[in-house]
Amino acid sequence: MNIVASLALLCLSAAAAVSGNESTETVLSAAPGDFILLQCYIGANVTPVWTTWMKDGQVVAGNGSYAANPRFALKQDGTLTISEAITEDSGSFLCSSALPDNRTINARVQLQITNIPSTHPDCMFVQAQDTSSVQLNCSWFGAYPTPKLRWGEDGDFQVTNSLNVTLNSSMLHDKQKVTCTALHQLLKQENQKSCSITLRAPFPEGTPLVTVLEGTNLTLTCSETTSLPPAITTWRKGQNQDLIVSGSRYILSFEGPAVKLTIVNISKDDERYYFCRSENALGVRELEVYLTVKTSSSAYTGAVIGVFIAALIMGSAFIVVKVLYSRRHTICLGGGFMQAEDSGDVLDLVDSDDEQIFHDTVPQLHPLANGRHTTLVQIHRIPSSEDHEDTETAGTDPQPPEQKEEATEEAEDLVSF
Ligand SMILES: *[C@@H]1O[C@H](CO)[C@@H](O)[C@H](O)[C@H]1NC(C)=O
Ligand SMILES: *[C@@H]1O[C@H](CO)[C@@H](O)[C@H](O)[C@H]1NC(C)=O
Ligand SMILES: *[C@@H]1O[C@H](CO)[C@@H](O)[C@H](O)[C@H]1NC(C)=O
Ligand SMILES: *[C@@H]1O[C@H](CO)[C@@H](O)[C@H](O)[C@H]1NC(C)=O
Ligand SMILES: *[C@@H]1O[C@H](CO)[C@@H](O)[C@H](O)[C@H]1NC(C)=O
Ligand SMILES: *[C@@H]1O[C@H](CO)[C@@H](O)[C@H](O)[C@H]1NC(C)=O
Ligand SMILES: *[C@@H]1O[C@H](CO)[C@@H](O)[C@H](O)[C@H]1NC(C)=O
Ligand SMILES: *[C@@H]1O[C@H](CO)[C@@H](O)[C@H](O)[C@H]1NC(C)=O
């Protein structure tokens, strides 16, 4: 506990408050646990008619002996005492004392209890207008005396509670770590406090191949969760990558990290490339989505073929059963079902017919290992961080547009349907 230091400081600082109505403003520093005397005036050997003390706009003592806090007390000469000072006692104190000679004395004391917050400084992004730079803010509030902050490894420390820095995107790279360091006189050098942010390029994810029936509504979903600072994600269409805006044809909706594009009443004209483009100061990356539109007439053809196949299978089965039935004596006498070679021919013929039709109707597809059946499943290969040059042009896809970003996602295999 330390009484003298606080008192001495106050005496020095409050000495100007004696004459007239002028108010004074002083700063008083004390450590936690100190006993603090805040005098409204000194030197005038009079007892005030009344004294009121306010802290941060609230009355804390006054009218004789009233005190809002048990650690606070108002003495007869108008002095406010604070025992066992704590960090929260820091604040702006304002006193008013009316003296018997009709003078009013106002004094303002900024009380600061030395403190190191248990928390670390806060590193955060400042919302940027564009992606040409990144602005970061480092703040460490509650530290007294005011700490020194610095962004990065070199450069000067600045005496402040809050420091921002603007980094030009040309100087940034993916996974770059930017650190803010705090220095404080009460903090040993080896116990420096700091915070840091790891910058990350965007990586939009979604389904790259979509097939849809004409006349329906389709929602394409693109999620971008990795980027720091958060990327701006847009949907674009066609070779020119025209920006898609919400309207009657297209509806854009944002659900957390997902940006959803709903295309209303799909027509054959909608069959093209769509791009989910995410951009931040670290770079631009796009997810390509190719949309195939099936016309309802092709769906009709499919249905007809389906019915035809079904009829053929049933018909074949009927023939087989009938043949077997008509030769049941031969089979039984021959001693085994599998020896009925003639009916075997019938079975083979049916099998190959069936298969042929099936090949014509749908593309040959590889079965999924786990037996999962979804509409269209895309294997999505995540490019390694070392892949810097985009050498990728898909051979099978119809004329993919140029990729400008460093890495790209690839449409790989059509797996199942
Ligand atoms: C102090 O203020 C009071 C009213 O607020 C006024 O009546 C008085 O004259 C002032 N005295 C001086 C010395 O300014
Ligand atoms: C002091 O007394 C005045 C007048 O009686 C009253 O308006 C004021 O609220 C009182 N202040 C406190 C802190 O009790
Ligand atoms: C204080 O003010 C009152 C009335 O407002 C007056 O009667 C009195 O004389 C004044 N006292 C001094 C010391 O000026
Ligand atoms: C940093 O962020 C804090 C908290 O949001 C804010 O109070 C402060 O003004 C910011 N500092 C700068 C330099 O923008
Ligand atoms: C900190 O941010 C404020 C407002 O956000 C801005 O006016 C100021 O220039 C920034 N300082 C630095 C060093 O970037
Ligand atoms: C970023 O750096 C480039 C080249 O180093 C410069 O042309 C550009 O003006 C800088 N941008 C900002 C916002 O400082
Ligand atoms: C397609 O979306 C439009 C516009 O939101 C809506 O009016 C219509 O009912 C939807 N049609 C279907 C089949 O969901
Ligand atoms: C969908 O588009 C077709 C033409 O492409 C049009 O004939 C039909 O009326 C549209 N349906 C709706 C619900 O808007």
Side-chain angles (χ1 to χ4, degrees), residues 121 140 147-150 157 180-184 187 192-194:
W140 199 35
K148 288 178 177 176
L149 301 178
R150 180 181 75 178
F157 279 96
C180 169
T181 312
L183 284 186
H184 196 274
L187 209 58
Q192 276 181 4
K193 299 223 177 196
S194 65

Side-chain angles (χ1 to χ4, degrees), residues 208 368 376-382 410-415:
L368 262 181
L376 279 170
V377 176
Q378 179 69 31
I379 291 181
H380 197 73
R381 198 167 73 196
I382 296 166
E410 304 160 43
E412 287 299 315
D413 298 319
L414 179 58
V415 200

Side-chain angles (χ1 to χ4, degrees), residues 118-155:
S118 57
T119 57
H120 288 267
D122 269 335
C123 285
M124 60 187 153
F125 289 105
V126 179
Q127 192 73 38
Q129 283 84 1
D130 53 46
T131 55
S132 68
S133 63
V134 173
Q135 200 175 340
L136 303 170
N137 176 346
C138 175
S139 57
W140 199 35
F141 296 112
Y144 186 83
T146 308
K148 288 178 177 176
L149 301 178
R150 180 181 75 178
W151 271 112
E153 295 310 314
D154 38 54

Side-chain angles (χ1 to χ4, degrees), residues 165-387:
V165 68
T166 302
L167 303 171
N168 192 329
S169 67
S170 64
M171 311 179 317
L172 303 176
H173 58 84
D174 197 12
K175 301 191 178 73
Q176 182 171 338
K177 191 172 171 183
V178 197
T179 303
C180 169
T181 312
L183 284 186
H184 196 274
Q185 65 187 49
L186 301 180
L187 209 58
K188 290 197 187 90
Q189 193 76 21
E190 63 270 22
N191 298 338
Q192 276 181 4
K193 299 223 177 196
S194 65
C195 59
S196 57
I197 283 180
T198 302
L199 305 171
R200 291 197 181 272
F203 188 73
E205 292 177 283
T207 309
L209 286 176
V210 176
T211 303
V212 70
L213 196 61
E214 194 177 34
T216 57
N217 292 351
L218 171 73
T219 298
L220 299 174
T221 301
C222 176
S223 287
E224 205 295 306
T225 53
T226 57
S227 66
L228 272 180
I232 298 160
T233 300
T234 51
W235 275 101
R236 285 151 196 273
K237 63 173 179 181
Q239 295 286 311
N240 298 333
Q241 303 210 4
D242 302 320
L243 182 68
I244 295 175
V245 291
S246 261
S248 54
R249 295 268 6 249
Y250 302 104
I251 299 164
L252 290 168
S253 55
F254 300 85
E255 291 172 22
V259 181
K260 294 186 171 187
L261 168 66
T262 301
I263 308 173
V264 178
N265 193 13
I266 293 264
S267 72
K268 195 69 185 170
D269 294 341
D270 294 317
E271 183 166 286
R272 59 160 73 98
Y273 272 103
Y274 292 82
F275 300 89
C276 172
R277 179 186 162 102
S278 287
E279 178 172 8
N280 72 2
L282 280 296
V284 180
R285 201 170 286 179
E286 284 172 346
L287 167 75
E288 260 180 43
V289 178
Y290 190 72
L291 175 61
T292 308
V293 179
K294 280 188 185 166
T295 56
S296 40
S297 62
S298 70
Y300 177 73
T301 311
V304 170
I305 292 171
V307 169
F308 178 70
I309 293 169
L312 198 65
I313 292 169
M314 284 182 69
S316 310
F318 180 73
I319 291 166
V320 170
V321 169
K322 188 159 186 188
V323 167
L324 290 179
Y325 185 78
S326 65
R327 299 193 179 182
R328 62 194 185 280
H329 301 297
T330 322
I331 294 163
C332 289
L333 290 174
F337 180 84
M338 292 318 289
Q339 284 169 9
E341 282 174 21
D342 287 358
S343 59
D345 289 344
V346 176
L347 284 168
D348 282 347
L349 184 67
V350 170
D351 274 348
S352 62
D353 270 358
D354 190 8
E355 220 167 48
Q356 188 59 46
I357 291 163
F358 210 73
H359 274 286
D360 291 347
T361 316
V362 294
Q364 184 71 326
L365 300 166
H366 314 292
L368 262 181
N370 63 2
R372 198 159 50 98
H373 290 273
T374 53
T375 316
L376 279 170
V377 176
Q378 179 69 31
I379 291 181
H380 197 73
R381 198 167 73 196
I382 296 166
S384 81
S385 58
E386 279 73 42
D387 288 348

